Amino acid sequence: MPVTAPSNHPEPKITATPAETPPRRQPLQLALILVAAFMVVLDFSIVNVALPSIERELHMPADAVQWIVTGYAISFGGLLILGGRAADLLGRRRMFVIGLVAFAVASLAGGLAQDPVLLIAARVVQGAGAAIVAPAALSLITTGFPEGAERTRAIGLYGAVSSVGFVAGQVLGGVLVQFTSWRAVFLVNVPVGLIAAALSPAVLGRRDPAAAARNRIRLDVRGALLITGAVTLVVFAVSQGVVLGWTSPLVIAATVVAAAAAAVFMRAETRHPAPLIRPALLHRKGLRDGTTLAFLLGLWNGGEMHESPPLTGLIIAPQGVVGFAAGVIGPRLAGKMGVRRLLVLTAACAAAGFLVLTQLPAAGYSPVLFVVTLIGFGTAGTALGSTVLASRGMADADQGLVGGMINTSRQIGAAVGAALLPAVAVSVSGGIGVSGDRAAMFAAALAALAATAVAWRAARPVPARAAS
């Protein structure tokens, strides 16, 4: 990630005040945050199951149906950094509630939609609500638990619940569509989101932890528009490259404008007195390594979700179970061997699993079941370690931004993986059969090996002045 030169403007100094005391560390508070995280992750997979039913009932063209997924992905990925920074400046609990309400209302609109345009619009708003909830929830954890074993344990539970949520979405989505209607996959979010929002003031506390910062600092609107536009266009270009072709004028234009917006953003941030992302943050090694690992994790994770249906089913379901287990035991391993060494181990496990899959036999389940255990452990452990690494040593006033950057990196990686790995499979034997899957798994292995190298480098001792 390129780093711009330091600005001549003094960086705003945000110090904790009594009004910014983190929430009390109680199981009920963590449970509420985990419920919200579960709901958001559930929505990623539960809607996919309902797409054929939606297409039939609303008489949607095949190229329009994909926008039910793409619209959500673009708004979610594009608004994560802004959502995280807004949580820092406007109050984490406040933005948490706003995001939950927006998500629930959009789910209601989607469940009642009689028109494809209204349904896609509801999905875009859902993505925006999720982009507010996700970084706010993660920053409530990282500011509410002291750095060390307690925070690592809470982040591990966050990852465990996310792993279960993704698999549960597929199962629950199938049940709801089979016995009720596709509309139920949207309506199921409404009571959960509204109840969680209603309980938040009592459970998380009514005091605004960012009140003092909000009185002194205004949101960098120009920076917010530039970075949101850049990330949104990147996700759009990658997702539509597969559909329209990589030489499509629309895809090329989106890529060029995204690059220009990112360049202008980086330059503007050095001159703004209260930038959205302070350039000094990009010098922090833990944040750089954490976001890089999140990107690579998203790449192999997003790519494997788009392989042939039989292979996808064999990979995803066991990974959810293993991911939950890794989220529970991962913090204990981190306590014994250190987060950086855990990252080396988990990324290497994912790489080994994908490399074994390149020798996948034409038939048989047993080898796959064993191998996806390695991949599931590697994926969950890397997610845990990258989040801990990125948030470690960061001021509470920046934890929302950290959550936004971690989630954005993983989303962009998933978009790239979803486009890259199937393209690799198609280039080998037309993507049909074991040979295409083997090639895609080899590409995923390369991403995991790159993550292993980043983790190995992060695990090496660094001078004290470089560690910050």
Side-chain angles (χ1 to χ4, degrees):
M1 180 182 295
V3 179
T4 58
S7 168
N8 293 327
H9 295 286
E11 294 181 1
K13 187 176 182 180
I14 303 175
T15 55
T17 67
E20 294 177 295
T21 302
R24 292 168 297 166
R25 297 179 292 276
Q26 295 180 352
L28 188 60
Q29 294 173 323
L30 181 58
L32 179 65
I33 295 169
L34 295 182
V35 166
F38 179 85
M39 180 185 69
V40 170
V41 174
L42 182 82
D43 198 70
F44 274 98
S45 54
I46 195 173
V47 174
N48 291 343
V49 180
L51 292 180
S53 298
I54 295 173
E55 181 179 359
R56 287 193 301 270
E57 183 172 325
L58 297 184
H59 307 290
M60 295 180 68
D63 58 347
V65 173
Q66 58 98 13
W67 277 99
I68 297 174
V69 175
T70 303
Y72 182 97
I74 289 174
S75 62
F76 178 67
L79 292 169
L80 276 166
I81 291 179
L82 178 58
R85 200 45 161 165
D88 288 332
L89 298 182
L90 305 180
R92 296 180 181 93
R93 282 164 279 189
R94 174 182 297 175
M95 298 309 296
F96 183 72
V97 172
I98 290 174
L100 285 172
V101 172
F103 191 88
V105 172
S107 297
L108 178 62
L112 300 178
Q114 301 293 330
D115 180 78
V117 174
L118 177 58
L119 177 57
I120 293 172
R123 285 290 285 168
V124 171
V125 177
Q126 260 192 321
I132 297 172
V133 172
L138 188 56
S139 63
L140 281 169
I141 291 176
T142 54
T143 58
F145 290 82
E147 191 172 297
E150 198 170 350
R151 180 187 293 179
T152 303
R153 190 178 305 114
I155 293 175
L157 289 174
Y158 181 87
V161 167
S162 297
S163 296
V164 173
F166 193 87
V167 176
Q170 292 183 312
V171 177
L172 181 60
V175 172
L176 290 175
V177 172
Q178 179 71 29
F179 294 101
T180 58
S181 163
W182 64 264
R183 299 181 184 279
V185 304
F186 293 97
L187 297 177
V188 71
N189 295 322
V190 179
V192 178
L194 293 180
I195 291 172
L199 291 176
S200 292
V203 175
L204 300 177
R206 295 180 179 273
R207 301 179 69 184
D208 187 348
R214 186 175 65 255
N215 291 334
R216 296 194 302 270
I217 297 176
R218 61 181 176 85
L219 186 65
D220 174 14
V221 177
R222 179 179 61 177
L225 292 174
L226 286 169
I227 192 63
T228 299
V231 176
T232 300
L233 288 170
V234 167
V235 177
F236 171 83
V238 174
S239 63
Q240 292 304 294
V242 180
V243 179
L244 303 176
W246 297 106
T247 58
S248 165
L250 187 59
V251 172
I252 293 174
T255 303
V256 171
V257 175
V264 174
F265 169 77
M266 296 301 295
R267 183 173 180 83
E269 293 301 272
T270 64
R271 299 181 176 183
H272 197 283
L276 188 76
I277 302 177
R278 299 196 306 280
L281 291 180
L282 302 182
H283 289 275
R284 300 190 70 94
K285 187 175 183 299
L287 182 59
R288 291 201 310 269
D289 290 339
T291 52
T292 301
L293 287 165
F295 172 82
L296 293 168
L297 165 63
L299 196 154
W300 82 64
N301 203 209
E304 68 181 348
M305 303 303 173
H306 292 74
E307 287 307 306
S308 61
L311 184 60
T312 300
L314 292 179
I315 289 177
I316 293 177
Q319 278 195 40
V321 177
V322 177
F324 178 82
V328 174
I329 67 172
R332 298 180 184 177
L333 290 175
K336 293 181 178 179
M337 61 191 307
V339 172
R340 289 179 170 85
R341 290 189 179 90
L342 176 65
L343 276 167
V344 174
L345 172 64
T346 55
C349 282
F354 283 120
L355 286 173
V356 173
L357 282 181
T358 62
Q359 305 303 313
L360 185 68
Y365 181 73
S366 298
V368 178
L369 180 61
F370 169 74
V371 169
V372 297
T373 301
L374 286 177
I375 298 175
F377 174 72
T379 299
T382 303
L384 165 66
S386 62
T387 303
V388 173
L389 200 63
S391 63
R392 178 178 289 175
M394 300 293 291
D396 282 359
D398 292 319
Q399 290 292 352
L401 178 62
V402 171
M405 292 178 70
I406 281 287
N407 279 286
T408 299
S409 298
R410 186 166 179 176
Q411 271 298 106
I412 294 177
V416 172
L420 176 63
L421 268 67
V424 170
V426 167
S427 68
V428 179
S429 301
I432 301 173
V434 176
S435 59
D437 288 333
R438 283 176 175 173
M441 291 302 100
F442 182 71
L446 292 179
L449 286 171
T452 305
V454 173
W456 180 273
R457 183 174 178 273
R460 294 170 56 192
V462 295
R465 60 189 181 93
S468 62

